[in-house]
Amino acid sequence: MILITEFMDEDAIRDGLAGFDVRYDPTLVDQPQALLEAVREARALIVRNRTQVRGDVLAAATKLEVIGRLGVGLDNIDVEACRARNIKVYPASGANDVSVAEYVIATAMVLLRGAYQATPELVAGQWPRNRLVGREISGKCLGLIGFGSIARETAQRAAALGMTVVAFDPYVAADAPVWTQPWGKVQSLDLAKLLAAADVMSLHVPLTPETRSMIDAKAIAGMKNDAVIINAARGGVVDEAAVAAALKAGKLGGAALDVFDKEPIGNSGAVFADAPNLILTPHIAGVTVESNVRVSRVTVDNVARHLKGA
Ligand SMILES: NC(=O)C1=CN([C@@H]2O[C@H](COP(=O)(O)OP(=O)(O)OC[C@H]3O[C@@H](n4cnc5c(N)ncnc54)[C@H](O)[C@@H]3O)[C@@H](O)[C@H]2O)C=CC1
Ligand SMILES: O=C(O)C(=O)COP(=O)(O)O
């Protein structure tokens, strides 16, 4: 049986998993007991980022051979335990790059421009023109933390808009060809220099022990007072309270957070009350109509191929 515990494109299930016994129940992610029961019979498990595939779930999944991940980040899966049990894990690498890159560029423009949140004032007959004089993206410096697949898509779009692009990624060698792209060069900087240089800083690293709390109050203090931060990587990489405090103190020009230490954020959202020029979104940067189709197709293909032993 192939068990699917979160939403995905249903056409992909029909077309890509024809002939398999499939249980598609996107409500299971919110029913821990039912999930534990269901996973006992699963040879394959398909999840997004919310199903925690570790501990008791893995222990109950005695027949599990393969996990299809409808996305990229693997922090919700105990990859080491899977490796030890010879359970193969397939991320949908690359399939949501464009969605995240477009989110970052659009959000950077909105945060720099600062002109889009006055609709209620205009509805009330006001005309706050002088207060809404914002900044252009052209000529600004984009600092990317992590220079992998999504960061490169983002860099290309930023360059097309006239930005200079710098990146910090100690796992990409200084002489690697990727620093020179067909559209221009990306400068490799250490973290402190990147933070000091960036007008827009965007994070594209996995959540690991090394990246946890990478952007804390000290890191923010090393940034320009009018810089903007975008986190569409993982909650936990950025100290949320430090971002809120810096915005309120005028030590940061704006921020967009798509991901949070605790999701859904529940009461922890209160820390952001009254923070200016802040955009909060519910872990949606990677999910568009188009990327949902792509990640779903890639994932069913990976799982079907594995189960067929091809
Ligand atoms: N908000 C959303 O909807 C989405 C979030 N994501 C997140 O974005 C992350 C990045 O995705 P991709 O670009 O596809 O992954 P990728 O694996 O292509 O790139 C990640 C890069 O981070 C670098 N890196 C790792 N540790 C680092 C460190 N300590 N300092 C600096 N760089 C470091 C790696 O060398 C690699 O180049 C994912 O792991 C996931 O958590 C991905 C897709 C959607
Ligand atoms: O690809 C990722 O890592 C994401 O965070 C996107 O979220 P999802 O996998 O679509 O639930």
Side-chain angles (χ1 to χ4, degrees), residues 9-20 297 300-301 304 308:
D9 180 56
E10 296 185 21
D11 288 347
I13 302 175
R14 195 196 57 223
D15 300 342
L17 298 179
F20 287 103
R297 286 195 183 147
V300 296
D301 286 353
K308 287 175 184 159

Side-chain angles (χ1 to χ4, degrees), residues 48-49 69-73 96 234 283 287:
R48 298 195 88 96
N49 79 78
R69 168 71 176 90
L70 297 154
V72 183
N96 57 21
R234 276 294 178 272
H283 201 142
V287 188

Side-chain angles (χ1 to χ4, degrees), residues 128-148:
R129 194 168 179 231
N130 290 3
R131 183 167 57 76
L132 299 185
V133 176
R135 290 181 286 163
E136 297 175 351
I137 200 165
S138 181
K140 300 295 184 297
C141 175
L142 172 65
L144 296 164
I145 299 190
F147 193 51

Side-chain angles (χ1 to χ4, degrees), residues 34-53:
L35 171 64
L36 272 184
E37 283 304 316
V39 85
R40 286 183 208 288
E41 296 307 316
R43 278 181 73 206
L45 181 60
I46 295 181
V47 299
R48 298 195 88 96
N49 79 78
R50 294 186 56 225
T51 306
Q52 297 301 311
V53 190

Side-chain angles (χ1 to χ4, degrees), residues 49 69 71-75 93-94 96-97 100 145-152 168-172 203-208 210-211 214 231-234 258-259 283-287:
N49 79 78
R69 168 71 176 90
V72 183
L74 297 178
D75 46 291
S93 303
N96 57 21
D97 287 1
V100 181
I145 299 190
F147 193 51
S149 193
I150 293 171
R152 291 171 206 178
F168 165 65
D169 192 327
Y171 301 102
V172 179
L203 291 138
H204 300 287
V205 287
L207 178 62
T208 66
E210 198 187 7
T211 62
M214 192 177 197
N231 184 14
R234 276 294 178 272
D258 182 56
V259 286
H283 201 142
I284 202 71
V287 188

